Amino acid sequence: MKRVEVIIDNQVLSVRQDIPLIQALREQGILLPSLCYHRLLGGYGSCGLCVVEIYTEAGWRPRHACLLQPEAGLQVKTNTPTVLRLRARAARLLLRRGPFPKKEVEELLGHLVQKGEKTCFEPDDKEAAARSRAGNPAPGCILCGLCVRICEKIRKSRLTFLGRGKNLQVSFVSAEEEAAACGSCKACQRICPTGFIEPSAREAFKARLYK
Ligand code: SF4
Ligand code: FES
């Protein structure tokens, strides 16, 4: 397994090249916040929490660490005011999809909002947040796609995204076959970061069957 030297917050580290940067940093004890990444499924780029800044020809630019592959000489900053502000913004948007059954998700997001506000205060649009929460068809689901991807990975492919824009939701692919085909393996339930799939996938997605 090839390793490369990268510069993380001004410190030279040797990391694996064959895994996403977020995972390579985890293996070095550097934990970036994340909700849509899983080591078995790879990066997805939907939660926005793993943002870092990397040095490019055009200067420092924000990127999702779950979608970046380490390469020799890569320069990364994990804790700049820009990073904290972007994480806070992503966390605010995710909070609008709550409340979440797992309270630690609320705590993580609240903490990221607070950290961002300390470096660069951006007022929250409370009315937009309330409207967004009220119109959310599936409170508790952040659309991270982990359930859909794990279901596909284990070759069942019973879950899919349906709808567009604010009506986008996770659903079973077929109403008629769902009961026979779901199998209740609980893979989606175990991987869901927010606790939305409780007590079962059938329960969580039953109102959203594709016909
Ligand atoms: S149900 Fe859970 S795993 Fe599936 S998209 Fe929503 S938050 Fe992610
Ligand atoms: S973990 Fe990278 S965007 Fe969610």
Side-chain angles (χ1 to χ4, degrees):
M1 146 205 349
K2 192 173 172 200
R3 298 185 76 86
V4 287
E5 288 198 335
V6 296
I7 303 162
I8 311 293
D9 297 328
N10 299 321
Q11 196 190 345
V12 178
L13 288 179
S14 166
V15 299
R16 280 175 62 182
Q17 191 181 26
D18 58 336
I19 50 179
L21 181 67
I22 189 172
Q23 186 67 33
L25 294 186
R26 267 184 200 179
E27 294 187 1
Q28 300 296 319
I30 300 170
L31 303 180
L32 301 177
S34 74
L35 284 176
C36 70
Y37 173 77
H38 191 283
R39 70 187 164 76
L40 293 177
L41 301 170
Y44 198 53
S46 81
C47 74
L49 299 182
C50 70
V51 68
V52 293
E53 282 194 275
I54 64 161
Y55 193 71
T56 70
E57 283 178 358
W60 289 96
R61 290 287 180 270
R63 295 283 186 277
H64 291 147
C66 65
L67 299 178
L68 268 178
Q69 216 64 29
E71 52 186 59
L74 182 70
Q75 295 184 60
V76 183
K77 290 188 176 171
T78 66
N79 216 13
T80 64
T82 300
V83 164
L84 298 182
R85 180 170 50 80
L86 291 174
R87 278 190 198 144
R89 192 180 289 171
R92 272 207 192 108
L93 290 174
L94 291 169
L95 278 167
R96 294 181 186 185
R97 300 203 62 89
F100 304 109
K102 288 189 184 169
K103 287 304 149 214
E104 57 268 36
V105 174
E106 305 261 354
E107 284 164 17
L108 168 70
L109 297 175
H111 173 69
L112 292 174
V113 168
Q114 266 185 3
K115 262 180 105 172
E117 283 176 349
K118 274 189 195 148
T119 57
C120 173
F121 181 71
E122 272 185 10
D124 194 9
D125 185 342
K126 291 203 165 54
E127 281 182 20
R131 269 201 310 279
S132 180
R133 273 200 184 223
N136 182 0
C141 172
I142 57 168
L143 300 172
C144 70
L146 284 170
C147 54
V148 177
R149 289 185 287 150
I150 194 72
C151 194
E152 195 179 328
K153 176 101 178 166
I154 61 175
R155 297 170 187 264
K156 292 193 174 168
S157 300
R158 302 311 305 160
L159 295 173
T160 188
F161 282 106
L162 282 182
R164 307 180 81 177
K166 65 182 172 53
N167 292 320
L168 185 68
Q169 297 172 56
V170 177
S171 169
F172 285 114
V173 294
S174 158
E176 295 79 38
E177 295 167 28
E178 176 266 316
C182 172
S184 301
C185 70
K186 296 192 193 301
C188 58
Q189 195 186 97
R190 280 195 291 268
I191 208 166
C192 175
T194 67
F196 179 77
I197 309 176
E198 296 286 350
S200 71
R202 287 178 197 188
E203 197 56 38
F205 302 125
K206 73 177 175 195
R208 294 173 284 283
L209 295 175
Y210 178 53
K211 300 190 183 182

